[in-house]
Amino acid sequence: MEVSKQSLQAHNERHIHGEKQFLARVSDYLGEFVYGAIDGAVTTFAVVAGSAGAGLESSIVIILGFANLIADGFAMSVGSFLSKKSEIQNYNKHKKIEYWEVDNIPEKEREEIREIYAAKGFKGELLDKVVDTITADKDRWVDVMMKEELEMAEETKSPFAMGLITFLSFIMMGFVPLIIYVVDYLGEIDVELFTVSSILTAFTFMGIGYLKGLVTYTPKLRSILETLILGGAAATLSYFVGDFLEQLIS
């Protein structure tokens, strides 16, 4: 019986540890999800608002909306991928330089370690021990130089995963303003399309704002209102531009 309890406890601990690891990985990419979601919802709803202001039919709104959804979503994901890949390449380049300096000019690098920790308040024998400990291991030495001298941290997130999450969140949230237009196109319904789209998008902005608050550690209500106002401002501007151009052309 005792063995069963221990086995159950060990199983529970492994399960909890696995959940924590999963949540940590999800939270690592939450920023990319929010980044893509905000842009997807804002830009697509701006297209819908501009089309509504111009009095365009549902089929035209769908064409313009999906064109924006795919093109902008892909462009954002590629930008996210290339940006993060460049950061990793830049980090690796400087790390190679630090390894070369440790191998070829160790005294100079050792003195830099001493200066760094002296500036932190270490003195005398304690400072000597810290310097000796760090420089005793080349990898640790280089890591300290990267963090303390160059102020660079190694990126652990996958550039591909970041680009993919940005793209998927852009598509998912950006599709919301178009849902009612797609439904109307498949079978005409007697509702004010732009009003329904606005309501659905407003709820989407609120959800994204809440997630944004989690990512930025800001008050949730403030983050929700900021996202809602941003999206509303973009949509209002697009609506009146569309309305103005429609009157100008016609």
Side-chain angles (χ1 to χ4, degrees), residues 209-224:
Y210 179 83
L211 291 176
K212 179 173 172 284
L214 292 177
V215 172
T216 58
Y217 299 101
T218 55
K220 307 298 185 300
L221 181 59
R222 175 184 171 185
S223 183
I224 289 171

Side-chain angles (χ1 to χ4, degrees), residues 134-196:
I134 292 174
T135 58
D137 183 278
K138 186 189 296 185
D139 293 331
R140 181 168 59 232
W141 190 350
V142 170
D143 285 341
V144 170
M145 295 300 291
M146 293 296 293
K147 293 174 184 176
E148 301 293 344
E149 181 188 31
L150 301 180
E151 298 182 349
M152 298 178 70
E154 187 171 10
E155 181 56 68
T156 58
K157 291 188 278 189
S158 163
F160 176 79
M162 292 182 68
L164 179 62
I165 290 172
T166 300
F167 179 73
L168 292 177
S169 64
F170 189 101
I171 296 295
M172 289 165 53
M173 298 301 107
F175 179 64
V176 172
L178 297 171
I179 291 176
I180 192 64
Y181 288 92
V182 173
V183 172
D184 180 66
Y185 179 77
L186 296 176
E188 290 188 10
I189 53 179
D190 187 22
V191 296
E192 178 58 45
L193 298 180
F194 182 61
T195 299
V196 175

Side-chain angles (χ1 to χ4, degrees), residues 81-97:
F81 170 80
L82 293 177
S83 175
K84 191 54 59 177
K85 188 175 181 180
S86 296
E87 287 182 21
I88 293 174
Q89 290 174 336
N90 186 50
Y91 178 89
N92 291 333
K93 179 189 73 175
H94 283 89
K95 193 169 186 177
K96 286 181 180 179
I97 293 173

Side-chain angles (χ1 to χ4, degrees), residues 14-62:
R14 287 195 298 270
H15 180 70
I16 292 172
H17 181 67
E19 284 186 343
K20 287 182 177 179
Q21 284 186 323
F22 174 76
L23 290 174
R25 289 178 182 177
V26 170
S27 64
D28 282 345
Y29 292 95
L30 186 58
E32 280 67 46
F33 182 87
V34 170
Y35 172 61
I38 289 176
D39 206 53
V42 169
T43 57
T44 307
F45 188 53
V47 170
V48 170
S51 301
L56 302 180
E57 297 180 358
S58 294
S59 58
I60 304 300
V61 176
I62 291 172

Side-chain angles (χ1 to χ4, degrees), residues 93-110:
K93 179 189 73 175
H94 283 89
K95 193 169 186 177
K96 286 181 180 179
I97 293 173
E98 289 298 328
Y99 269 112
W100 183 90
E101 290 179 345
V102 165
D103 286 332
N104 293 274
I105 47 175
E107 290 305 318
K108 180 178 180 297
E109 293 298 290
R110 185 182 176 90

